[in-house]
Amino acid sequence: MTDIVDELKWRGLFALSTDEDALRKALADGPVTFYCGFDPTAPSLHVGHLVQVLTVRRLQQAGHRPLALVGGATGLIGDPRPTAERTLNAPETVAGWVDRLRAQIEPFLSFEGENAAVMVNNLDWTQNLSAIEFLRDIGKHFRVNKMLTKDSVARRLESDQGISYTEFSYQILQGMDFLQLYRRHGCTLQQGGSDQWGNLTAGLDLIHRLEPDAGVHALATPLMTKADGTKFGKTEGGAVWLDPEMTTPYAFYQFWLNVDDRDISRYLRILSFKSREELEELEEQTLQRPQARAAQRALAEELTTLVHGAGQTDAVVEASRALFGQGDLAALDERTLAAALAEVPHVTVDAAASVVDLFAEVGLAPSKSAARRTVKEGGAYVNNVKVTAEDAVPAAEELLHGRWLVLRRGKKNLAAVEVTGG
């Protein structure tokens, strides 16, 4: 067993634990069976979930046995949010999302060997449980005064809306999960985010009441934050999803490429599987030549490959290069090109107009006269070809995949035009 506690601490992944010395000894004596839960409250995981998914992977690589729980039961209830009651989703919707999340998590883990991962669903031990059994056998061991101290519950109680008994009971359900996994799989460690600490300790307390001799632990990772104060994993378009239909691999790659220099070293340690020496070298490059964005590029390539595969990473890297004149735009497949152009300013027109008109319409120049100056000064490009005539009109055969024109002013200012007519 490697000393995973020191590794987690160095990477900034160790926020809270119930008894660090006891946990360190258990992990050193391992292997430890541990679990982490994911609720199907949407049809996909988002990048915020990567902290937990990759920490599960890291613990497995250190020799421990993961149970990845996708909550078919807890997903029907929803962990209470601090601000408002959740909308309950239909059981068939949640069941479909369970399958989708399982398929997203499975590629990160190994299901072979002595510490093979196991996928579990808490609906297995709750769907046939009667209300009387739940209240007598589980609810009996929870104290309301302690449940009220949970941050999200306390904040909701102070609001005008309050909190329903349904969401209030969530921590009982999650506590029961740990008990069931302890009894069924010998699970002695629950891992999660620090915002889940109340739920993590609820399971510990329940096990200690019913199994006094059990040596069980909880480990919480810190919440990911951004230096500018905005929420990690959010963009102007909303959450950054792992599902390629919800966030394209190109947009996913660009999200990491655009990480603030103030955040990149911390994100690399938390999310990358590169060695300490490699990460320290990337951190040094960020200090010496931040404009090169070597660290952001390394993280973008690593995570895009982990989530979407090496083939998609190669495609988006080639698209990024081609957009800025370092590759062949015509060689990009239609889907990758469309995804790339969706991330830059773009307009739709019925027919191709003059380059000057298009530059002004898409906002690459503030006016037609400014666009003419750009052409005259040699800074206007269409599909990476310099435009030399002020009255130039792109021909139909210049349309990429019969639809698009890529406009560029200078080296870095991009826009796109989609031509829908003749």
Side-chain angles (χ1 to χ4, degrees):
M1 299 294 135
T2 61
D3 193 341
I4 188 62
V5 171
D6 286 345
E7 180 73 7
L8 294 176
K9 285 192 165 187
W10 181 81
R11 290 182 176 273
L13 282 167
F14 197 103
L16 295 166
S17 69
T18 40
D19 184 332
E20 182 182 328
D21 291 338
L23 175 60
R24 185 186 289 272
K25 183 178 187 307
L27 291 169
D29 293 342
V32 166
T33 297
F34 69 100
Y35 98 93
C36 185
F38 304 87
D39 274 349
T41 54
S44 172
L45 299 175
H46 53 72
V47 294
H49 293 110
L50 279 177
V51 178
Q52 301 313 322
V53 175
L54 298 181
T55 302
V56 172
R57 179 185 175 100
R58 214 176 289 280
L59 284 164
Q60 185 181 33
Q61 289 182 348
H64 305 289
R65 179 178 176 239
L67 308 174
L69 184 149
V70 180
T74 42
L76 291 167
I77 302 301
D79 192 15
R81 293 181 297 189
T83 53
E85 193 86 5
R86 291 181 182 272
T87 300
L88 297 181
N89 295 299
E92 56 271 19
T93 298
V94 174
W97 291 352
V98 167
D99 292 339
R100 291 175 64 127
L101 266 59
R102 285 174 64 107
Q104 287 184 331
I105 294 168
E106 286 173 348
F108 290 92
L109 305 177
S110 171
F111 291 84
E112 299 177 350
E114 294 182 357
N115 65 331
V118 178
M119 299 296 298
V120 292
N121 183 344
N122 54 21
L123 193 62
D124 292 345
W125 52 82
T126 54
Q127 60 184 341
N128 295 322
L129 185 67
S130 73
I132 295 299
E133 289 175 309
F134 178 69
L135 292 172
R136 284 179 59 88
D137 298 341
I138 304 299
K140 169 73 174 175
H141 303 287
F142 283 79
R143 296 295 174 262
V144 171
N145 57 332
K146 186 168 184 179
M147 294 172 70
L148 292 173
T149 62
K150 185 183 175 186
D151 183 59
S152 59
V153 172
R155 289 171 64 179
R156 286 278 291 281
L157 287 172
E158 295 170 359
S159 69
D160 293 336
Q161 187 181 33
I163 186 171
S164 69
Y165 178 74
T166 299
E167 289 197 358
F168 182 62
S169 68
Y170 180 92
Q171 57 188 297
I172 302 179
L173 289 173
Q174 186 167 331
M176 185 171 65
D177 288 346
F178 199 175
L179 175 66
Q180 287 292 332
L181 294 175
Y182 171 78
R183 289 175 169 173
R184 293 174 180 231
H185 297 277
C187 177
T188 56
L189 169 63
Q190 183 179 180
Q191 169 218 323
S194 57
D195 61 329
Q196 290 285 308
W197 188 246
N199 292 332
L200 270 62
T201 55
L204 286 171
D205 292 344
L206 178 61
I207 293 174
H208 285 148
R209 287 177 179 275
L210 294 173
E211 307 280 353
D213 296 327
V216 288
H217 311 273
L219 169 64
T221 60
L223 291 181
M224 290 276 274
T225 57
K226 293 173 73 172
D228 63 7
T230 58
K231 190 171 182 179
F232 171 76
K234 296 285 186 179
T235 66
E236 291 182 4
V240 180
W241 303 97
L242 304 194
D243 188 319
E245 299 298 324
M246 298 173 68
T247 297
T248 66
Y250 185 89
F252 184 88
Y253 179 90
Q254 290 296 319
F255 171 78
W256 300 108
L257 192 62
N258 292 323
V259 164
D260 193 311
D261 287 340
R262 296 171 293 175
D263 294 321
I264 187 59
S265 293
R266 185 161 45 92
Y267 290 3
L268 272 169
R269 293 190 182 206
I270 289 172
L271 299 170
S272 174
F273 286 84
K274 295 184 186 299
S275 68
R276 293 193 186 194
E277 293 74 21
E278 289 174 303
L279 296 184
E280 287 168 351
E281 171 62 26
L282 288 169
E283 290 169 5
E284 182 63 25
Q285 289 183 45
T286 298
L287 289 174
Q288 298 298 327
R289 296 184 65 244
Q291 69 278 8
R293 306 191 75 73
Q296 285 90 336
R297 202 173 305 278
L299 185 61
E301 292 186 10
E302 181 176 0
L303 292 181
T304 305
T305 300
L306 275 172
V307 174
H308 297 296
Q312 285 292 337
T313 302
D314 290 343
V316 299
V317 169
E318 184 57 34
S320 296
R321 288 173 50 81
L323 286 179
F324 292 97
Q326 298 174 341
D328 183 5
L329 284 168
L332 301 179
D333 68 86
E334 186 171 0
R335 181 170 179 170
T336 300
L337 179 63
L341 297 184
E343 301 302 309
V344 302
H346 52 276
V347 296
T348 301
V349 297
D350 292 331
S354 71
V355 172
V356 166
D357 288 345
L358 294 175
F359 264 61
E361 183 169 355
V362 80
L364 278 180
S367 65
K368 292 182 182 180
S369 59
R372 289 190 189 94
R373 284 196 301 272
T374 299
V375 172
K376 187 176 181 180
E377 293 167 0
Y381 297 82
V382 174
N383 296 346
N384 289 338
V385 177
K386 183 181 291 189
V387 178
T388 57
E390 294 180 27
D391 59 351
V393 177
E397 56 268 22
E398 294 181 64
L399 297 177
L400 299 168
H401 295 288
R403 293 170 59 189
W404 290 290
L405 296 169
V406 177
L407 311 184
R408 177 160 52 91
R409 178 171 59 82
K411 293 183 178 181
K412 296 184 178 181
N413 298 293
L414 285 173
V417 174
E418 182 177 7
V419 181
T420 58

